[in-house]
Amino acid sequence: MGGLYFEDVEVGDSYTAGPYRVTKSEIIRFAQQYDPVPEKIDEEAAARSIFGGLTACGPHTFSIYILLTSQLQPRLHFLGGLGWDELRMPNAVYPDDELDLDLIVLEKRESRSKSDRGILRLRIILRNQRRETGA
Amino acid sequence: MGGLYFEDVEVGDSYTAGPYRVTKSEIIRFAQQYDPVPEKIDEEAAARSIFGGLTACGPHTFSIYILLTSQLQPRLHFLGGLGWDELRMPNAVYPDDELDLDLIVLEKRESRSKSDRGILRLRIILRNQRRETGA
């Protein structure tokens, strides 16, 4: 099984994935299921919203970020996520945006309770094709 | 248009939504699209994972939380989310779990730059049918 384990990763290492192209139909389909407010599923309502058009809902952007972390090359083996701090989405994601991901290792320490694993603190940035940060 | 606006909400107010029942097929379908690692999409691989079975991926849990915020009664009118701090998922979400949401208003202030809106700081808790906090 390829990919990187805790012991293979050093502070300062960085990895990238993407781009992922977000389509209008995916934006609408996702929002219909998980954020079914008019401005996320209807183009006319979206045009009148503060975003001026259809934009991906927050969990959709978050989902794309997770998808891209699963596409890092080489693969990083995660057992699970302990949490997220300072999750920010300063720029909306519009149809046909292309998102890529940068992951930087800020900190690593071995688990105090379980000797077969460790904990990484990561900085993860999504950017669109205009190089604006998305999350 | 019903629902609550900024001026209708006070610090200390709380709102609830749910329950939302999470099915196995929804867990697998979501992960196939956004977190396609073996332990999220395959029952045998999941049984060998640290969770001991299929569990909803992080963005799926996040999506259910957003869905429940859109189902609060009365509805709260949000223009957008500025961000999330301390997003934690201390307990896994398993098939047939039923999640409900508690939202508490911690702080409110008017926007400095835009007089027609304000900013709320919220504490939002997802709980399953065993009353464990999910996010």
Side-chain angles (χ1 to χ4, degrees):
Chain A
M1 211 155 125
L4 300 178
Y5 290 87
F6 182 68
E7 56 270 26
D8 305 315
V9 172
E10 298 301 335
V11 171
D13 287 353
S14 67
Y15 305 92
T16 62
Y20 181 88
R21 186 185 182 92
V22 191
T23 65
K24 186 197 290 186
S25 64
E26 182 185 338
I27 286 176
I28 293 173
R29 198 171 59 240
F30 197 107
Q32 280 172 334
Q33 194 165 5
Y34 295 109
D35 198 7
V37 292
E39 60 270 27
K40 293 294 183 197
I41 57 178
D42 177 78
E43 290 200 65
E44 288 185 23
R48 293 190 301 269
S49 78
I50 57 171
F51 301 111
L54 277 176
T55 57
C57 61
H60 190 185
T61 303
F62 189 75
S63 298
I64 293 167
Y65 132 66
I66 294 287
L67 177 65
L68 286 170
T69 62
S70 77
Q71 294 175 352
L72 292 162
Q73 287 298 335
R75 186 180 162 204
L76 295 178
H77 290 282
F78 294 111
L79 287 166
L82 292 177
W84 291 263
D85 292 300
E86 296 181 55
L87 178 60
R88 295 291 179 271
M89 301 185 185
N91 293 290
V93 175
Y94 291 91
D96 300 322
D97 275 358
E98 300 197 352
L99 305 181
D100 54 46
L101 180 139
D102 276 340
L103 179 155
I104 301 155
V105 180
L106 298 181
E107 214 178 289
K108 73 176 270 189
R109 62 181 175 83
E110 295 187 11
S111 166
R112 288 188 199 103
S113 54
K114 292 175 179 140
S115 61
D116 64 343
R117 61 195 70 177
I119 295 164
L120 297 179
R121 200 161 64 85
L122 307 169
R123 178 169 171 78
I124 296 170
I125 298 173
L126 273 185
R127 285 195 186 83
N128 64 20
Q129 68 283 3
R130 294 176 297 279
R131 314 314 298 150
E132 297 164 341
T133 57
Chain B
M1 210 155 125
L4 300 178
Y5 291 87
F6 181 70
E7 56 270 25
D8 305 315
V9 173
E10 297 301 334
V11 170
D13 287 353
S14 67
Y15 305 92
T16 61
Y20 181 88
R21 187 186 181 91
V22 191
T23 65
K24 186 196 290 185
S25 65
E26 182 185 338
I27 286 175
I28 294 173
R29 198 171 58 240
F30 196 107
Q32 281 173 333
Q33 193 164 6
Y34 295 109
D35 198 7
V37 293
E39 61 270 27
K40 294 293 183 197
I41 57 178
D42 177 78
E43 291 200 65
E44 289 185 21
R48 293 190 303 269
S49 77
I50 58 171
F51 300 111
L54 277 177
T55 57
C57 61
H60 189 185
T61 303
F62 189 76
S63 298
I64 292 167
Y65 133 66
I66 294 286
L67 177 64
L68 286 171
T69 62
S70 77
Q71 294 175 353
L72 292 162
Q73 286 297 336
R75 186 181 163 205
L76 295 178
H77 290 282
F78 294 110
L79 287 166
L82 292 176
W84 292 265
D85 292 301
E86 297 180 53
L87 178 60
R88 294 290 179 274
M89 301 185 185
N91 294 290
V93 176
Y94 291 91
D96 300 322
D97 275 358
E98 299 197 352
L99 305 181
D100 54 47
L101 181 140
D102 276 339
L103 180 154
I104 300 155
V105 179
L106 298 181
E107 213 179 290
K108 73 177 269 190
R109 62 181 175 81
E110 295 189 11
S111 166
R112 288 188 199 103
S113 54
K114 291 176 180 138
S115 61
D116 64 343
R117 63 195 70 179
I119 295 164
L120 297 179
R121 200 160 64 85
L122 307 169
R123 178 169 170 78
I124 297 169
I125 297 173
L126 272 185
R127 284 195 187 84
N128 64 20
Q129 67 283 5
R130 293 177 298 279
R131 314 313 298 150
E132 298 164 340
T133 56

